[in-house]
Amino acid sequence: MDSDDGRGAGDTSGTASAAEASAGEVPEAEISSAEVPVAEAPVAVGGMAGLSFPYQIAAAVALAVFGVIACVQLAVVFLHVAPSNTLTKQHGAAVDEWVYPEFEQNWKLFAPNPLQQNIAVQVRMETAGPDGPRTTAWTDLSAEDGRAIRGNLLPSHVQQNELRRAWDFYVGSHDDQNRANGLRGTLSEQYVRRLVMLRLTEHNGGETILRVQVRSEVRAVAAPEWSDEKVSTGPSYRVLPWWKVNAADLPKGTAGYEEADQ
């Protein structure tokens, strides 16, 4: 009996060992991937998509309201700091009510304000012609610079700013009666004279220039078509006295320059 029980037990263990061995002998390539369970990772939903539908609607409405308020704030503050224009003239009270006192601005968006006038510097001269002195017509030096700039991809700094800055220098250092305010006024006169004489060498026809007169023609920029603002675009002039040309006014390389240096 004991021997039979031992054999039975031994057979069972042997059978189990054989089964384990046979299971271990199965190649891994024959195991189908479909038989291996794959755990699916949970998908995290964030932002507004993670909210329920009613809360999504509430969040979208809140964002839209904040966006509108931000746009209105930027537009009103821009009008507050911008130079006077058609909108500020019509809705200035509403802009002030929105801005003051919480959003008051103590700075200007444009410093200085953009030019609202077209200023042209013109010159005429008196030359010693064969039949005696003669006075030429006005020559628009600003128009010459404008023609040189238009269509030029790389206009020079001289063409864009030299004449304009020289005239601004003169006007800023003289009163309405063309009287100089200190040493800067005298310096600006000398600068304008030399600049004008440099430009007139192309227009004197070889004749000797005796006197020169400079003026500015100012025209206001016309209002846009959609504006009901009435702006006069007629010219106004600031005419300087005649200047008698001397050697110090002549450009370098012309007759009389060397004498001025000495």
Side-chain angles (χ1 to χ4, degrees):
M1 295 293 293
D2 295 338
S3 60
D4 293 338
D5 295 337
R7 286 195 299 271
D11 294 339
T12 304
S13 61
T15 303
S17 300
E20 292 175 1
S22 61
E25 293 175 358
V26 178
E28 295 181 358
E30 297 180 2
I31 301 176
S32 174
S33 60
E35 298 176 356
V36 180
V38 179
E40 296 183 359
V43 179
V45 180
M48 291 181 57
L51 302 175
S52 61
F53 184 70
Y55 285 104
Q56 290 182 4
I57 295 178
V61 172
L63 289 177
V65 171
F66 285 132
V68 171
I69 294 176
C71 292
V72 172
Q73 170 70 13
L74 291 176
V76 174
V77 172
F78 174 83
L79 292 175
H80 175 67
V81 300
S84 178
N85 54 70
T86 304
L87 288 177
T88 56
K89 291 179 180 179
Q90 293 180 354
H91 308 287
V95 171
D96 292 341
E97 289 180 1
W98 180 283
V99 170
Y100 292 109
E102 290 83 2
F103 306 112
E104 180 180 0
Q105 303 292 323
N106 293 321
W107 51 274
K108 295 296 182 182
L109 183 62
F110 300 102
N113 291 338
L115 291 177
Q116 298 180 350
Q117 297 173 326
N118 290 321
I119 302 175
V121 178
Q122 303 172 349
V123 61
R124 65 177 178 177
M125 53 188 168
E126 183 181 274
T127 62
D131 299 329
R134 70 180 185 90
T135 301
T136 65
W138 290 99
T139 300
D140 195 332
L141 302 181
S142 297
E144 292 181 353
D145 289 342
R147 288 191 293 268
I149 292 172
R150 292 186 184 92
N152 188 351
L153 296 179
L154 298 173
S156 68
H157 180 76
V158 171
Q159 294 169 336
Q160 297 180 79
N161 297 315
E162 184 180 43
L163 181 62
R164 178 180 61 85
R165 295 294 299 272
W167 184 252
D168 288 344
F169 184 24
Y170 179 89
V171 172
S173 57
H174 287 73
D175 58 18
D176 295 338
Q177 303 300 321
N178 297 316
R179 291 175 298 202
N181 299 326
L183 296 178
R184 287 179 58 85
T186 303
L187 180 63
S188 67
E189 288 183 13
Q190 296 174 351
Y191 183 51
V192 170
R193 286 189 184 189
R194 292 187 178 184
L195 177 59
V196 167
M197 291 301 300
L198 180 65
R199 301 285 293 270
L200 287 180
T201 54
E202 303 175 0
H203 301 278
N204 63 345
E207 298 179 352
T208 302
I209 301 175
L210 303 176
R211 297 193 303 167
V212 174
Q213 188 175 33
V214 180
R215 75 177 183 182
S216 65
E217 180 185 273
V218 181
R219 294 177 181 267
V221 177
E225 297 179 356
W226 46 263
S227 173
D228 58 356
E229 184 178 2
K230 305 299 181 183
V231 179
S232 175
T233 58
S236 61
Y237 297 95
R238 176 171 180 171
V239 183
L240 276 56
W242 282 95
W243 288 336
K244 184 178 180 180
V245 176
N246 54 50
D249 300 331
L250 301 177
K252 185 177 182 179
T254 59
Y257 187 90
E258 293 77 7
E259 298 178 2
D261 287 343
Q262 297 175 359

